[in-house]
């Protein structure tokens, strides 16, 4: 099964060609065109700029992924594209590009849920059999998912306001550290004292696995508003803020792992999303995983952040399982598309967010 994947739900235009053969997954090519420079002056992703930038480069990004793979369109078995959730203008650009290629080449089109791509991403490189517990922490998403099998996802908890990456971006904006904020805050935190500022750890006294990060930004904003922060104060604030996020994520992960049965061969914890690049957070999660004898799997960064290989993989797995609907060509792009529709209905979480819709 050879599948072209296209991703355009936020600020990366990406295309990848993947082969799924005899249970082995090989990424034949992947191309990512980031829009960080276009959005940097605004300190966040601007949806209209994103949509136009996707439209500008989508055809070339796809063409270079095909050329790198050394394949022609007739070699493909299907075309998969992110069809939600995300910034709708960008989602439509990638989805229509995929549909057009599928139509012109008479190949099946597979609409992919971006979150399903993230959920399956550890299977791109590592031997990661179902079931596993996934902590997805990016700029747009922050949730725990139990991944039981293809198409079987149970959302165990989610942020009720900001995503963790969004919280990093907001602090960076407050302090004028640049965009994206996460890497800048992590760098600045290196020389800071994480115990210097007492920042809140919201919801940790509550049952369940939901998280909240908006209050953290407000607490930091109060400190910044007082003004006159020295370089050392800024470093201390970044370190304290990062420690608060790491504490929240690791306390919730501890609880999630306690309630997760795992498979016959033990428990696997997968961490994906851009925030998984943060070393303080990774170290904290490693400690928690160790406490539960769980294996921590963190995909390589290029597969943690938004990429098209994970979309191609989700498409290939769906094709192989015969799960692609006959009317997939009529699929309408969805700005919101929870992976676990049932728990989203039971416990809906709304909120805008600069980095796209929170599903
Ligand atoms: O997964 P991603 O590339 O895009 C989506 O949001 O879907 O994640 C980007 C987010 C941004 O909010 C960025 O600030 C955060 O991940 N991030 C980090 C780090 N690197 C990226 N957050 C904390 N520490 C990092 N080193
Ligand atoms: Zn994503």
């Amino acid at each position: 099964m050879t599948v072209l994947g296209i991703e355009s739900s936020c600020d990366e235009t990406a295309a990848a060609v993947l082969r799924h053969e005899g249970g082995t997954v090989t990424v034949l090519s992947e191309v990512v065109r980031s829009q960080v420079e276009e959005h940097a002056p605004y300190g966040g992703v601007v949806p209209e700029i994103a949509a136009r930038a996707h439209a500008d480069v989508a055809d070339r990004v796809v063409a270079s992924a095909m050329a790198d793979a050394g394949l022609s369109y007739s070699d493909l078995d299907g075309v998969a594209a992110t069809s939600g959730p995300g910034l709708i203008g960008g989602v439509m650009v990638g989805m229509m590009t995929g549909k057009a290629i599928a139509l012109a080449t008479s190949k099946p089109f597979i609409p992919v849920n971006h979150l399903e791509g993230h959920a399956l991403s550890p299977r791109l490189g590592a031997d990661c059999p179902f079931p596993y517990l996934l902590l997805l922490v990016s700029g747009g998403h922050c949730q725990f998912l139990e991944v039981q099998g293809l198409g079987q996802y149970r959302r165990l908890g989610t942020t009720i306001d900001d995503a963790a990456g969004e919280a990093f971006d907001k602090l960076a904006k407050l302090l004028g550290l640049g965009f994206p904020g996460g890497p800048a805050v992590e760098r600045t935190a290196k020389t800071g004292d994480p115990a210097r500022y007492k920042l809140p750890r919201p919801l940790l006294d509550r049952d369940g696995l939901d998280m909240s990060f908006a209050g953290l930004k407000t607490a930091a904003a109060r400190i910044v508003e007082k003004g006159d922060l020295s370089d050392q104060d800024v470093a201390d604030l970044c370190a304290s803020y990062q420690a608060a996020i790491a504490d929240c994520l690791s306390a919730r992960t501890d609880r999630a792992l306690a309630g997760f049965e795992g498979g016959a061969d033990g428990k696997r914890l997968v961490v994906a999303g851009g925030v998984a690049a943060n070393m303080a957070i990774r170290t904290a999660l490693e400690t928690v995983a160790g406490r539960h004898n769980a294996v921590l799997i963190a995909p390589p960064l290029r597969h943690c952040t938004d990429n098209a290989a994970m979309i191609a993989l989700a498409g290939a797995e769906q094709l192989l399982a015969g799960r692609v609907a006959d009317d997939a060509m009529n699929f309408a792009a969805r700005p919101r598309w929870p992976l676990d529709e049932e728990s989203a209905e039971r416990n809906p979480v709304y909120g805008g967010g600069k980095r796209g819709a929170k599903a």
Side-chain angles (χ1 to χ4, degrees):
M1 196 63 77
T2 307
V3 173
L4 166 68
I6 301 171
E7 157 60 35
S8 61
S9 64
C10 192
D11 59 348
E12 264 104 28
T13 320
V17 182
L18 171 143
R19 185 160 286 159
H20 202 307
E21 201 167 32
T24 304
V25 173
T26 314
V27 179
L28 301 179
S29 67
E30 48 187 327
V31 176
V32 183
R33 160 71 170 76
S34 168
Q35 301 173 1
V36 162
E37 278 173 25
E38 281 95 325
H39 300 293
Y42 307 94
V45 177
V46 183
E48 181 61 15
I49 292 176
R52 283 168 192 268
H54 287 303
D56 278 347
V57 301
D59 55 350
R60 269 170 288 153
V61 168
V62 169
S64 60
M66 291 300 294
D68 289 356
L71 298 180
S72 67
Y73 290 104
S74 59
D75 297 316
L76 298 175
D77 294 295
V79 182
T82 296
S83 301
L87 300 174
I88 196 67
V91 171
M92 285 171 70
V93 170
M95 190 188 76
M96 295 312 290
T97 304
K99 282 186 178 179
I101 295 169
L103 190 65
T105 57
S106 302
K107 304 289 179 188
F109 172 73
I110 312 119
V112 170
N113 182 318
H114 177 81
L115 298 171
E116 179 164 45
H118 278 301
L120 299 177
S121 64
R123 294 162 65 81
L124 278 170
D127 181 27
C128 186
F130 301 121
Y132 48 86
L133 180 73
L134 174 79
L135 169 60
L136 174 58
V137 266
S138 70
H141 308 288
C142 191
Q143 52 184 272
F144 285 103
L145 285 168
E146 190 177 312
V147 182
Q148 295 149 338
L150 182 68
Q152 294 171 269
Y153 313 103
R154 203 154 68 90
R155 194 186 74 183
L156 305 173
T158 178
T159 177
I160 59 165
D161 40 54
D162 292 351
E166 201 176 351
F168 275 108
D169 294 336
K170 283 181 173 174
L171 178 68
K173 197 172 180 182
L174 278 173
L175 294 172
L177 297 177
F179 173 82
V185 172
E186 182 173 19
R187 239 182 350 262
T188 312
K190 284 212 168 83
T191 49
D193 172 9
R196 162 87 187 281
Y197 291 103
K198 304 280 168 276
L199 296 172
R201 269 78 171 150
L203 295 192
L204 285 199
D205 53 342
R206 289 221 213 136
D207 283 349
L209 291 172
D210 283 345
M211 294 159 276
S212 162
F213 296 100
L216 198 54
K217 189 210 90 177
T218 313
R222 262 190 230 118
I223 295 166
V224 176
E225 274 156 21
K226 282 193 197 131
D228 258 357
L229 293 184
S230 68
D231 285 352
Q232 189 56 52
D233 295 336
V234 169
D236 291 346
L237 182 56
C238 285
S240 305
Y241 196 90
Q242 178 174 271
I245 294 178
D247 275 359
C248 291
L249 291 174
S250 54
R252 276 331 203 195
T253 304
D254 193 40
R255 185 187 283 254
L257 276 172
F260 173 56
E261 261 188 31
D265 56 345
K267 297 184 185 185
R268 274 173 291 276
L269 168 68
V270 176
V271 56
V275 180
N278 186 287
M279 283 319 289
I281 290 171
R282 268 195 198 210
T283 309
L285 293 177
E286 244 156 42
T287 309
V288 175
R291 219 179 286 149
H292 294 269
N293 290 324
V295 181
L296 177 69
I297 300 173
L301 195 58
R302 70 179 191 286
H303 291 153
C304 265
T305 55
D306 287 351
N307 67 88
M310 68 184 190
I311 304 304
L313 175 62
E317 293 215 8
Q318 285 187 45
L319 269 181
L320 283 165
R323 293 172 56 99
V324 180
D326 290 341
D327 62 349
M329 261 309 205
N330 295 330
F331 192 94
R334 293 182 62 173
R336 292 178 191 274
W337 184 4
L339 253 194
D340 176 352
E341 308 252 10
E342 243 173 66
S343 78
E345 261 168 42
R346 240 186 355 259
N347 180 19
V349 179
Y350 297 110
K354 287 212 175 66
R355 301 278 303 187
K358 294 160 198 148

